[in-house]
Amino acid sequence: MTLFNLGTLGSTPVVKNNFDLNASEPTDVFQFKITSGKNINLSLTDISTGDDADIHLFKDANLNGVLDDFDRKVGLVSGEGSNHDEAINFKTSSGTFFAEVSRFAPGSSGNVSYDLALSATEPSGTVPLSASFSNLLPREFIVGNLSHDVTRTGSIDNQNTTDVYSFTLGTFEGVNIKLNGLSSDADIRLIRDFNNNRIVDAGEEIAHSTNGGINSELISNFTTAGNYFLQVTEFKGATNYNLTFDQFTTPFA
């Protein structure tokens, strides 16, 4: 195991690119602190083709500064198959935490490369709504090219505050995006990652919908071709949701 101490994690993402796991060092651990209640955001991306890596989040429950068996009794894991992006978005109180990146099959040979980004953003209700979204962009749910209507269902809560969908609009294609079926308040925002760094930088938010209560959220009549991310985020309380991408052909076709 290799340990990296990141100090106090804040809203500016910490990026660790081109890291490797191998048979002799199958696990990397990134230790960090948060000083008040935050949303911890972890994004594990660009896992090498044909490989598999997972990410765990643990809290230093016994306050000894070491990731030990006591801490491992409770934790969160993202364990998607193959080299699919992994993500954890967790609302929690202050403390010391460990983000552990591990090979899915630690005894196998060869290297597994990956990129990792970490941030701790302010929870909803404490800052402007658009600033309470995660600023990381893993491809958790890949919608692909919107050549037809697509509906997805999901759920968000304090242990999964954000879901991220990636999709593409072609030339002469447009989309209306609707979030409904809510039992608690949730919001959406549309992002174009112009520099492909998988971080939400200034000027990359295209639109957002942050209506109050359980009212539906809508981003309508968007018609610019390109690759996009759509975030669904918890505002207050756990909820299931329906997310609809209503594709249409623009009149310029």
Side-chain angles (χ1 to χ4, degrees), residues 18 21 34 37 49 76 78 96-97 144 181 230 251:
N18 301 315
L21 304 171
I34 59 172
T49 302
L76 295 175
S78 177
T96 298
F97 295 83
L230 190 284

Side-chain angles (χ1 to χ4, degrees), residues 107-142:
S108 59
S109 61
N111 288 2
V112 177
S113 62
Y114 67 89
D115 294 344
L116 177 67
L118 314 89
S119 70
T121 50
E122 297 295 332
S124 56
T126 62
V127 292
L129 287 178
S130 60
S132 64
F133 287 86
S134 169
N135 51 12
L136 308 183
L137 296 172
R139 291 188 176 94
E140 289 186 88
F141 305 99
I142 300 174

Side-chain angles (χ1 to χ4, degrees), residues 76-96:
L76 295 175
V77 61
S78 177
E80 300 288 345
S82 187
N83 66 332
H84 192 285
D85 288 358
E86 309 281 356
I88 292 176
N89 302 99
F90 180 50
K91 184 177 181 179
T92 187
S93 57
S94 60
T96 298

Side-chain angles (χ1 to χ4, degrees), residues 14 28 78 84 110 112 149 178 182 243 247:
V14 174
D28 288 339
S78 177
H84 192 285
V112 177
D149 295 350
K178 186 176 183 180
L182 304 174
L243 180 65
Q247 187 270 351

Side-chain angles (χ1 to χ4, degrees), residues 10-177:
S11 59
T12 300
V14 174
V15 178
K16 300 296 182 179
N17 286 345
N18 301 315
F19 273 55
D20 289 293
L21 304 171
N22 54 55
S24 60
E25 291 288 346
T27 302
D28 288 339
V29 176
F30 300 84
Q31 179 178 332
F32 60 88
K33 295 180 180 180
I34 59 172
T35 57
S36 60
K38 304 282 186 182
N39 290 337
I40 294 175
N41 310 299
L42 308 177
S43 176
L44 184 68
T45 62
D46 293 322
I47 301 167
S48 46
T49 302
D51 295 319
D52 193 353
D54 300 327
I55 187 165
H56 291 74
L57 178 65
F58 302 101
K59 189 171 185 178
D60 184 11
N62 54 4
L63 305 178
N64 67 351
V66 178
L67 177 57
D68 52 29
D69 290 340
F70 188 87
D71 304 324
R72 292 179 181 276
K73 292 178 181 178
V74 178
L76 295 175
V77 61
S78 177
E80 300 288 345
S82 187
N83 66 332
H84 192 285
D85 288 358
E86 309 281 356
I88 292 176
N89 302 99
F90 180 50
K91 184 177 181 179
T92 187
S93 57
S94 60
T96 298
F97 295 83
F98 304 94
E100 179 184 70
V101 181
S102 59
R103 297 163 63 96
F104 175 69
S108 59
S109 61
N111 288 2
V112 177
S113 62
Y114 67 89
D115 294 344
L116 177 67
L118 314 89
S119 70
T121 50
E122 297 295 332
S124 56
T126 62
V127 292
L129 287 178
S130 60
S132 64
F133 287 86
S134 169
N135 51 12
L136 308 183
L137 296 172
R139 291 188 176 94
E140 289 186 88
F141 305 99
I142 300 174
V143 177
N145 180 58
L146 283 180
S147 58
H148 58 277
D149 295 350
V150 175
T151 298
R152 298 289 181 89
T153 60
S155 62
I156 47 177
D157 55 32
N158 285 348
Q159 294 193 341
N160 176 43
T161 60
T162 301
D163 284 342
V164 184
Y165 294 80
S166 65
F167 70 94
T168 300
L169 280 180
T171 305
F172 307 128
E173 292 179 345
V175 66
N176 298 307
I177 303 171

Side-chain angles (χ1 to χ4, degrees), residues 221-236:
N221 297 315
F222 187 75
T223 60
T224 304
N227 300 317
Y228 295 92
F229 292 90
L230 190 284
Q231 292 181 323
V232 180
T233 195
E234 175 195 34
F235 179 72
K236 184 178 182 181

